[in-house]
Amino acid sequence: MNLRESLRIGWRSIVGHKLRSTLTTLGVIIGIASVITFMILGGAFTADVVGDLDDENEPMMSVVTQTEPDAGTGVMHVQSPIYTESDVDRIESIDGVEWVAPTGSLSPVQLTHGDDSITGGFSAQATNPAPFEEDGLYPLEEGETFSTEDEAIVNLQAARLFDEELSADDEITVTFEDGSTESFTVAGVADVDLGGSSSNPTVYVPLDAHYTVTVETPRDTRERGYPSLLVKTESIEGLDSVQDDVEAYLESDSDARELKADDHEIVAQTLDDLVEQISGIVDQLTIFIGGIAAISLLVGSIGIANIMIVSVTERTREIGIMKAIGARKRDIVQLFLVESVILGAIGAFFGVAFGIGLGYLLVSWIGWPMAYPLDWIVIAVGVGVGVGVVSGLYPAWRAAKTDPIEALRRE
């Protein structure tokens, strides 16, 4: 029996039981569609994040402390004030460094503008004016950077917290956890949007006047300590060289090296490093979620195997007749394998189509760029055909072992 004849007989059996064939392939369709959809979402999210970060293209790096989370994947930033004033001065003296901006988190609980108050849902950070100056990291939509201790910068998200959007020269009051309050004049509104997603509403205040956290240094002196630093280099071309020098200092001669916990790691991270880190985390999560969705492929393979066994039982007499007129065991195996592969291929085709369609609708609704996971589409088609082969092996072998005499006696 040639392959064309096996295809014709297998297709006739499938279309002769349309409802049964549809239900049989449904598990494969759902499984493949789920995997493709999650891969599209993961790829689209990564493309959105990477695109936003690539657009920044700033000669910047951040110095942060990281550790591995107790559960899950990726890394977790640690807010430990280990970077001292001496560390800041030494990094500023490295050739190619334009400025260093220490950043310290404050503890606000309420933000007030006029008669309106917002409790929670925003943060306050102390830093120096450098990130908001011309050609700085955070472009100002209006106003200018702060120059006195009673001035502040708000990002766009904080400006939009109130019904009447904050603008330059507006007055705000910040209430802190210890009950103290500070009044500020909004010097400017900054567009702070890094990492591919909107920043939290944040008020930025002058570092020297409002950040008071100190630590004891390895030299038995007390200095202010910061949980993170922003470093800008003089040019994008010199960024890698400066990054190497900053890392060398932090690893060999810094106060932070002595003050950090043993399970913490100091990282000088550029935007390229951040892109790579985010992409790796998203890829891990996408594959994990896709693996869960792929469980339905197992259900689909069981369904195909089950229906093929039923088909062998129903067609016992037909098998006996085929053997009686000269069909060999390999012809019978080929016939049932072809039928199961057709079912798997149908499931793969519709699964890929539904997965791409659903993924496109979701990323369009969210507003992410569409990313076609071509490698996973090829894998999905291969899995669909493979499911058909694996699921049809036992039924095909069972059909080939049928005794033709016993089969012809079957009513």
Side-chain angles (χ1 to χ4, degrees):
M1 182 184 299
N2 59 38
L3 181 58
R4 176 180 291 183
E5 187 67 14
S6 296
L7 286 168
R8 186 184 66 81
I9 296 173
W11 181 251
R12 184 181 64 189
S13 175
I14 291 172
V15 298
H17 303 86
K18 293 185 178 66
L19 179 59
R20 187 173 73 182
S21 299
T22 301
L23 294 176
T24 300
T25 58
L26 195 58
V28 178
I29 293 172
I30 293 174
I32 291 179
S34 301
V35 172
I36 294 295
T37 299
F38 282 119
M39 293 306 162
I40 287 175
L41 289 173
F45 176 72
T46 302
D48 183 62
V49 171
V50 171
D52 284 349
L53 289 176
D54 284 344
D55 289 343
E56 297 296 330
N57 198 30
E58 293 279 356
M60 299 291 306
M61 76 183 77
S62 58
V63 178
V64 296
T65 310
Q66 296 180 347
T67 188
E68 294 183 359
D70 295 333
T73 59
V75 295
M76 180 174 63
H77 284 185
V78 180
Q79 294 295 310
S80 299
I82 62 174
Y83 306 102
T84 64
E85 291 282 0
S86 297
D87 288 338
V88 173
D89 293 339
R90 290 287 298 275
I91 293 174
E92 281 184 325
S93 68
I94 293 175
D95 288 340
V97 173
E98 183 173 334
W99 52 255
V100 179
T103 303
S105 296
L106 306 179
S107 302
V109 294
Q110 194 169 63
L111 179 64
T112 303
H113 170 55
D115 296 329
D116 296 330
S117 294
I118 301 296
T119 302
F122 75 102
S123 61
Q125 292 187 359
T127 188
N128 61 32
F132 306 102
E133 292 174 347
E134 187 175 357
D135 297 328
L137 179 61
Y138 307 140
L140 289 170
E141 295 292 302
E142 62 172 288
E144 56 188 19
T145 189
F146 43 69
S147 56
T148 62
E149 64 181 44
D150 60 350
E151 291 183 332
I153 300 288
V154 296
N155 65 358
L156 290 174
Q157 292 73 24
R160 294 166 181 162
L161 286 175
F162 299 96
D163 294 335
E164 182 180 345
E165 190 170 315
L166 293 176
S167 59
D169 296 328
D170 282 346
E171 299 293 327
I172 59 173
T173 300
V174 180
T175 303
F176 296 94
E177 279 188 355
D178 61 3
S180 63
T181 62
E182 294 282 350
S183 295
F184 300 94
T185 299
V186 176
V189 179
D191 183 7
V192 183
D193 189 9
L194 295 177
S197 60
S198 297
S199 304
N200 292 325
T202 306
V203 178
Y204 299 90
V205 299
L207 187 74
D208 292 339
H210 301 284
Y211 186 76
T212 58
V213 175
T214 61
V215 295
E216 185 172 339
T217 71
R219 302 177 306 283
D220 296 327
T221 61
R222 293 202 70 85
E223 296 181 12
R224 275 190 295 192
Y226 309 104
S228 62
L229 310 174
L230 282 175
V231 181
K232 184 178 181 182
T233 61
E234 294 174 353
S235 67
I236 194 71
E237 293 77 17
L239 181 59
D240 291 340
S241 175
V242 174
Q243 182 184 19
D244 292 340
D245 292 342
V246 170
E247 287 178 339
Y249 166 70
L250 290 171
E251 292 172 0
S252 63
D253 198 32
S254 66
D255 291 340
R257 179 179 63 90
E258 301 288 339
L259 296 175
K260 76 177 184 67
D262 292 339
D263 59 340
H264 292 173
E265 179 184 10
I266 297 172
V267 179
Q269 190 175 65
T270 65
L271 288 177
D272 286 341
D273 297 330
L274 184 59
V275 166
E276 183 177 345
Q277 185 180 94
I278 292 175
S279 297
I281 294 173
V282 172
D283 288 344
Q284 290 180 42
L285 291 174
T286 302
I287 292 173
F288 175 72
I289 297 173
I292 296 175
I295 293 175
S296 55
L297 283 175
L298 176 62
V299 177
S301 66
I302 293 173
I304 292 179
N306 179 61
I307 205 63
M308 293 308 299
I309 291 173
V310 171
S311 181
V312 169
T313 302
E314 289 180 345
R315 296 159 64 185
T316 300
R317 185 174 178 82
E318 177 186 338
I319 294 170
I321 294 172
M322 292 172 63
K323 282 195 153 189
I325 61 176
R328 295 162 296 181
K329 285 185 177 180
R330 70 179 185 182
D331 294 326
I332 305 300
V333 170
Q334 176 179 287
L335 174 63
F336 283 90
L337 270 181
V338 164
E339 186 174 332
S340 62
V341 168
I342 291 174
L343 289 171
I346 292 173
F349 175 80
F350 285 103
V352 169
F354 289 147
I356 292 176
L358 180 59
Y360 177 78
L361 290 175
L362 290 174
V363 299
S364 298
W365 177 64
I366 296 172
W368 292 338
M370 181 63 181
Y372 293 96
L374 298 180
D375 49 348
W376 283 99
I377 291 174
V378 173
I379 291 172
V381 173
V383 167
V385 175
V387 163
V389 172
V390 173
S391 304
L393 280 175
Y394 173 70
W397 174 82
R398 180 175 171 177
K401 295 285 288 182
T402 302
D403 187 291
I405 297 175
E406 291 296 328
L408 290 169
R409 288 177 178 174
R410 183 74 63 87
E411 294 294 335

